[in-house]
Amino acid sequence: CHSIEEAVSRAMKRLRGSYSLVVMSPRKLIGARDRWGLRPLCFGETNHSYVFSSESCGLDTVGARFIKDVEPGEVMCIDRDGVRSDKSNCTGESNLCIFEYIYFARPDSVLDGVSVYEARVAGGRELAKSHPVDADMVIAVPDSGIDAAIGYAKESGIPYGIGLIKNRYIGRTFIQPTQSQRVQAVKIKLNALESTIKGKRIVMVDDSIVRGTTSKY
């Protein structure tokens, strides 16, 4: 290979799977996205410098201006001569993992032109249409279930309320090694707001069910 970006491009032809890459050398900054577009990657500019971020909210954090989403298969190279783009691996298709919109990404991000927050609200609205129920309150499992719960409440007309309080100092519970540890972690992480939900028919909206530990509790 005659350059680092060429090496990255040639490697991408052999790689299978999902990834976004940021590669640095003493003279170059390279960003690349897998050919299927499973993982997000965006490109921005700040103070005459260029920035790559897996989510657009990362650009906001450093005061960068969003320029574009890196296309699936695209390799972008920045050096003293400016910005170059190699699209020889591009397929013209995007297969962004749906879990980015449901859970992984932050709601203040925009991925491939779609607001994560609006996507989650729209998902909640669709849930209300496909599974209408008679209830007194819609609550969410915080945090990533909140936007969908708001969408459910808006579409159904059932009031949205706070039913679960989250301990902000507990990490992800579903990756604990044993079931007993997962159950204990959920008990520490979430507690019901009894004065709000007692005696009411509740619609509880979560972003996803991995093991069912949280839902059961």
Side-chain angles (χ1 to χ4, degrees):
C1 295
H2 299 290
S3 65
I4 294 178
E5 60 266 34
E6 183 182 347
V8 171
S9 180
R10 289 177 62 178
M12 289 171 64
K13 291 180 171 62
R14 303 177 63 181
L15 292 175
R16 295 291 183 269
S18 59
Y19 57 87
S20 288
L21 303 176
V22 177
V23 181
M24 297 180 67
S25 77
R27 298 181 181 85
K28 296 178 180 179
L29 174 65
I30 299 169
R33 188 176 177 189
D34 69 73
R35 289 187 290 164
W36 296 271
L38 294 169
R39 295 267 79 84
L41 186 65
C42 64
F43 177 60
E45 181 181 19
T46 176
N47 297 328
H48 308 292
S49 298
Y50 293 104
V51 182
F52 287 105
S53 177
S54 58
E55 296 184 39
S56 63
C57 66
L59 303 181
D60 299 335
T61 300
V62 298
R65 178 179 64 87
F66 174 86
I67 296 178
K68 58 168 285 184
D69 288 297
V70 179
E71 296 180 28
E74 184 178 10
V75 179
M76 297 186 65
C77 179
I78 297 94
D79 58 18
R80 291 180 178 177
D81 297 324
V83 181
R84 298 189 302 278
S85 175
D86 175 7
K87 298 186 179 181
S88 61
N89 293 312
C90 292
T91 63
E93 298 182 6
S94 178
N95 298 280
L96 184 67
C97 175
I98 191 64
F99 223 50
E100 293 286 350
Y101 290 115
I102 294 171
Y103 178 74
F104 287 148
R106 276 182 24 173
D108 51 338
S109 284
V110 177
L111 305 181
D112 287 347
V114 178
S115 162
V116 174
Y117 172 78
E118 294 296 340
R120 291 177 181 174
V121 171
R125 286 186 178 275
E126 291 301 316
L127 184 63
K129 293 176 183 177
S130 62
H131 291 78
V133 296
D134 187 17
D136 302 310
M137 180 182 293
V138 178
I139 68 170
V141 178
D143 287 311
S144 45
I146 292 175
D147 304 334
I150 291 173
Y152 193 104
K154 287 182 176 180
E155 184 66 32
S156 66
I158 302 171
Y160 172 79
I162 305 298
L164 294 173
I165 303 301
K166 181 180 179 180
N167 184 333
R168 302 294 175 179
Y169 301 99
I170 300 295
R172 293 176 177 173
T173 56
F174 67 87
I175 58 176
Q176 295 292 330
T178 67
Q179 180 63 16
S180 61
Q181 287 176 295
R182 291 191 287 269
V183 170
Q184 184 60 31
V186 168
K187 290 180 179 179
I188 298 172
K189 185 175 184 177
L190 295 172
N191 194 34
L193 189 59
E194 185 176 356
S195 62
T196 300
I197 66 173
K198 186 176 182 179
K200 294 180 180 177
R201 299 167 299 169
I202 299 295
V203 176
M204 185 178 70
V205 181
D206 202 351
D207 58 86
S208 57
I209 299 175
V210 179
R211 301 177 189 272
T213 303
T214 299
S215 302
K216 182 179 179 179
Y217 175 68

